[in-house]
Amino acid sequence: MGFAFTIAIRFLREGRFQSLLIIVGVAAGVAVVTYVSALIDGLQGNTIRRTLGTQAHIVVKPFEEKSVPSLVARPGELVARDIQPRAQRPRSIDNWRSLATEIAATPGIVAVTPIASGAGLAIRGEASRSVAMIGIELDGYDRIVSLREKIIKGVARVAPGEAMIGQQLAEDLGVSIGERIVLRTGGDAADTFTVSAIFDLGNRDLNRRNVYITLKSAQSLFNIPGGATNIYATVTELFSADQTAALLKQRTGADIESWMESNAQLLSALDAQTISTRLIRGFTTLVAMLGIASVLVVSVVQKRKEIGILRAMGATRAQMTRVFLMQGGIVGLVGSVLGVVLAKLLLWAFSMFVLGSDGKPLFMTELPLDLAVIVTLVATLCGVLAAAAPARSVAKLDPAQAIRI
Amino acid sequence: MSERAELLRMSRVCKSYGVGTPVETEVLHSVDLVIGQGEFVALIGPSGSGKSTLLNIIGLLEPMSSGDYLLEGRSVANLSDTELTRCRGDTLGFVFQFHHLLPAFTALENVMMPALIRAGRFSDADRQYGLSLLDRVGLKAAAGKKPGELSGGMQQRVAIARALARGSPLVLADEPTGNLDTQSADEVFALMRQFNRDEGTTFLIVTHDPRLAQRCDRIIELVDGRVRPPTDVHDTAVSKA
Ligand SMILES: Nc1ncnc2c1ncn2[C@@H]1O[C@H](COP(=O)(O)OP(=O)(O)OP(=O)(O)O)[C@@H](O)[C@H]1O
Ligand SMILES: [Mg+2]
């Protein structure tokens, strides 16, 4: 290896301009691949984090009451029908306690919490807004959507007679901590609540809609004593939530959905993005490899005489082949190290100069160490692979012919 | 010459180019050749007579088409490429006509190159030995220079030092003085003669210069791919005189 390395380095240094060009080429390719990968990973991670910041991974719902048509079409007949689902009152999941216990005992499930929620109005004086009243057990709920982190005013607490509301709703109604609002359901049940905390879920619509109260208050407002309209659960493996949900559905017969189904569109958009990133990566790698290969093909021709001399002095075919494989590897390694540094600069520039409306970076863009290491290894390997064809032509070279020139 | 141990023996060696094509040509016809250890031999002949081809076959750089070739008593006909390469590295040193130093390496590194090929690195001992060889060819001061910074005669002297770096018993030189002025040619020739005398290294030198050929122990003449019957240099010289 010492021989191959020493000769490879000298050959590369001798072909100064040529070597520089190809190393810069590889560096540019590696920078693009690394930058795009890190950016897309950051973007996707951020999108998923935002989406799941306010959602459970797995949600159990009560069975829908299906509206069944009373007329059934006989063969050859058509029935004109117009079926409207009835406006549904919040209903409790049957046996939710035992279901929750069963879900909690399932491998891969981290946390489980019951919810009692339904639509209604939040009223203060003349102002009223339609809201979603969500009855929670704060500790359990916090394990699922980290509500406590999102409190911006007041104390994270829901005691009977207290409600936590979003920033936008507080503005719309003109209420602040310690003041009272009335919550009324569609069934005209109503109660007065003191605002204990104001939160920011990072989404204006949710800040306008969500009102958190205790599970008990919600049960009595919606007239489902001891009931729960949903069970929320989180999983350890985010991207196998659909499988976990399917398994639970099969085992319990309950109506269970994972975040992957409720966000199917988002996921397919992310998939499309991932495929495009892969294409960019693949083509960039291919172009860089072709670049390395073509430079080395030229170099083999230029170095014919030297190869012949070295062969005459006792260098074996395998040794000369390794000289060229080594050159490919060195170009790949040096190019990718430069490329990774360049990508790091680009990402830094992105986080410095591409800012959201709040003046903060749009999302976290880091260059994970493992990505850098993998890129460097793969680039080095690709360099060696790209050198394979030129190196083979070295093995075929006839030293006598090379020396006669 | 019969008292010398035999270094190489060729019998009925033929070489054809373009075998299996319409332009197949035989350039060496049944060459018989014996060279003893420590001999200093000139190989002469008109252009195209097959001198370089013969030298390449002796140097294991090209296979012969038929015949027998024993190098240090060992038949090379059936050796693999790797074995041939090893044999070449151990037994043979080469000096060529033009620019056959590695331009990316200094004079000293060129001389140490056989050691790098063998051991994968330049050791201190290699360095010392390389410097002593350069000293003997009068180029110690040029050790750190690249070939491009040296004159043709100096390059050729470096090449001789390199050919001797592994203590090879046989040095093959293809027109080593071909592109040198008379004085440099004489210097280079004298150097080879000196190594031959001091070290007992065998030399086979292709040359077009009759003046230099006359100063060898023996002249082998190739004409149209055949060896002319041997003549003793000094007899010829006497008969010509
Ligand atoms: N690779 C080859 N393919 C076909 N013919 C070749 C090849 N190499 C050499 N020849 C032919 O073989 C013959 C001998 O060539 P060679 O180079 O051995 O001659 P030479 O005696 O060294 O000549 P010079 O004094 O000009 O160097 C020439 O006719 C040459 O054209
Ligand atoms: Mg010739």
Side-chain angles (χ1 to χ4, degrees), chain A residues 357-370:
Chain A
S357 51
D358 54 0
K360 284 192 218 147
L362 281 185
F363 50 85
M364 288 299 286
T365 47
E366 279 170 6
L367 181 54
L369 187 65
D370 55 352

Side-chain angles (χ1 to χ4, degrees), chain B residues 49 201 220:
Chain B
S49 57
T201 309
I220 297 170

Side-chain angles (χ1 to χ4, degrees), chain B residues 29-55:
Chain B
H29 314 287
S30 194
V31 170
D32 293 322
L33 186 69
V34 178
I35 294 180
Q37 268 168 16
E39 271 199 283
F40 197 79
V41 183
L43 179 59
I44 61 169
S47 187
S49 57
K51 304 182 296 294
S52 297
T53 306
L54 181 60
L55 211 66

